[in-house]
Amino acid sequence: KNLEHPITFAQLLKEIEKIEGLKRIRFMTSHPKDLSDELIEVMAESKKICPHLHLPLQSGNSRVLKEMNRRYTKESYLALVDRIREKLPDISLTTDIIVGFPGETEEDYISSREFVKKVKFAELHVFKYSKRDGTVAAKMPNQIDEKIKTLRSEDLIKTGEELTKEFRQAKIGQDTTVLFEEKILLDNKEYWVGHTVDYIKIAVPEKENLEGQIRKVNVKDFLTNEIMLATM
């Protein structure tokens, strides 16, 4: 923004795509109010940008979002998701959710959980609200009891795990590409592990050094709750 000739983030990505030898581009954490239609279009047209967006929601309840000063509603967030999926049907959407924000009622929490299920996120990162001195929220009335925050957190984590399993299960039997990053030992077996473009962690039982390589694989099953098993 402070360049002599400012460019948008979407334009920056188009310039990065021109770099020879660069195979993948991944960026993290877009604020929903800042994610432009231009960026969606660039992602849809790109051969290198990974079809994965981390789009923090924080709450699926519009009243709570207003209290958080998030500057969007659940309706505008859903409209954005619809525009993204129209251009990128196979996009992997991950998000952050806070439970137990001051004043969050049980009804607010349930509506937030139902909204999360409606969007069908590929992965949820769930956080319990924690009071920070000096913030507006710390001075708000109706601070939520820690036990209630824990119950809501555990419930939403379980919901997230179900959504993640559903998203990953749909990949079984499919061919995809993996950027291999490291070797791990699991149950006395060695695996090379990396990520697909849509940020699924994949392991293959391979002796060859695959570090830093992008290889085509076929997804077979779950190896653990977090890692899927594939063959080359």
Side-chain angles (χ1 to χ4, degrees), residues 49-92:
I49 300 173
C50 294
H52 166 225
L53 275 174
H54 188 72
L55 199 62
L57 173 62
Q58 307 304 7
S59 174
N61 179 275
S62 291
R63 188 194 68 78
V64 175
L65 286 171
K66 187 175 181 181
E67 291 293 310
M68 290 178 169
N69 196 28
R70 288 294 290 178
R71 294 167 63 187
Y72 56 85
T73 63
K74 71 175 187 179
E75 289 81 12
S76 64
Y77 187 99
L78 186 60
L80 175 60
V81 168
D82 287 343
R83 293 201 303 276
I84 293 167
R85 285 188 167 145
E86 183 182 354
K87 296 290 184 180
L88 295 144
D90 297 322
I91 188 99
S92 167

Side-chain angles (χ1 to χ4, degrees), residues 25-133:
I25 303 167
R26 191 189 302 278
F27 63 92
M28 297 299 290
T29 313
S30 303
H31 194 295
K33 72 178 177 61
D34 296 328
L35 201 145
S36 66
D37 289 340
E38 179 194 23
L39 178 55
I40 296 169
E41 197 69 46
V42 167
M43 289 185 69
E45 292 173 356
S46 174
K47 299 290 191 292
K48 296 181 180 181
I49 300 173
C50 294
H52 166 225
L53 275 174
H54 188 72
L55 199 62
L57 173 62
Q58 307 304 7
S59 174
N61 179 275
S62 291
R63 188 194 68 78
V64 175
L65 286 171
K66 187 175 181 181
E67 291 293 310
M68 290 178 169
N69 196 28
R70 288 294 290 178
R71 294 167 63 187
Y72 56 85
T73 63
K74 71 175 187 179
E75 289 81 12
S76 64
Y77 187 99
L78 186 60
L80 175 60
V81 168
D82 287 343
R83 293 201 303 276
I84 293 167
R85 285 188 167 145
E86 183 182 354
K87 296 290 184 180
L88 295 144
D90 297 322
I91 188 99
S92 167
L93 288 177
T94 58
T95 199
D96 299 329
I97 299 282
I98 295 171
V99 297
F101 190 79
E104 181 187 65
T105 66
E106 187 66 17
E107 290 76 17
D108 291 338
Y109 166 69
I110 291 170
S111 72
S112 185
R113 184 189 64 196
E114 293 310 301
F115 184 75
V116 162
K117 290 160 74 172
K118 183 176 182 178
V119 175
K120 289 186 176 290
F121 290 104
E123 193 171 343
L124 294 186
H125 301 278
V126 180
F127 303 91
K128 290 189 288 184
Y129 167 78
S130 58
K131 187 187 287 188
R132 292 186 183 176
D133 292 339

Side-chain angles (χ1 to χ4, degrees), residues 5 8 10 13 17 34 44 60 64 67 76 81 88 113 119 122 127 136 142-143 169 174 177 181 204 218 229-230:
H5 302 289
T8 64
L13 289 176
E17 182 148 10
D34 296 328
V64 175
E67 291 293 310
S76 64
V81 168
L88 295 144
R113 184 189 64 196
V119 175
F127 303 91
V136 174
N142 301 317
Q143 298 285 328
Q169 204 150 22
Q174 291 187 10
T177 58
E181 298 150 28
V204 297
N218 183 264
L229 178 67

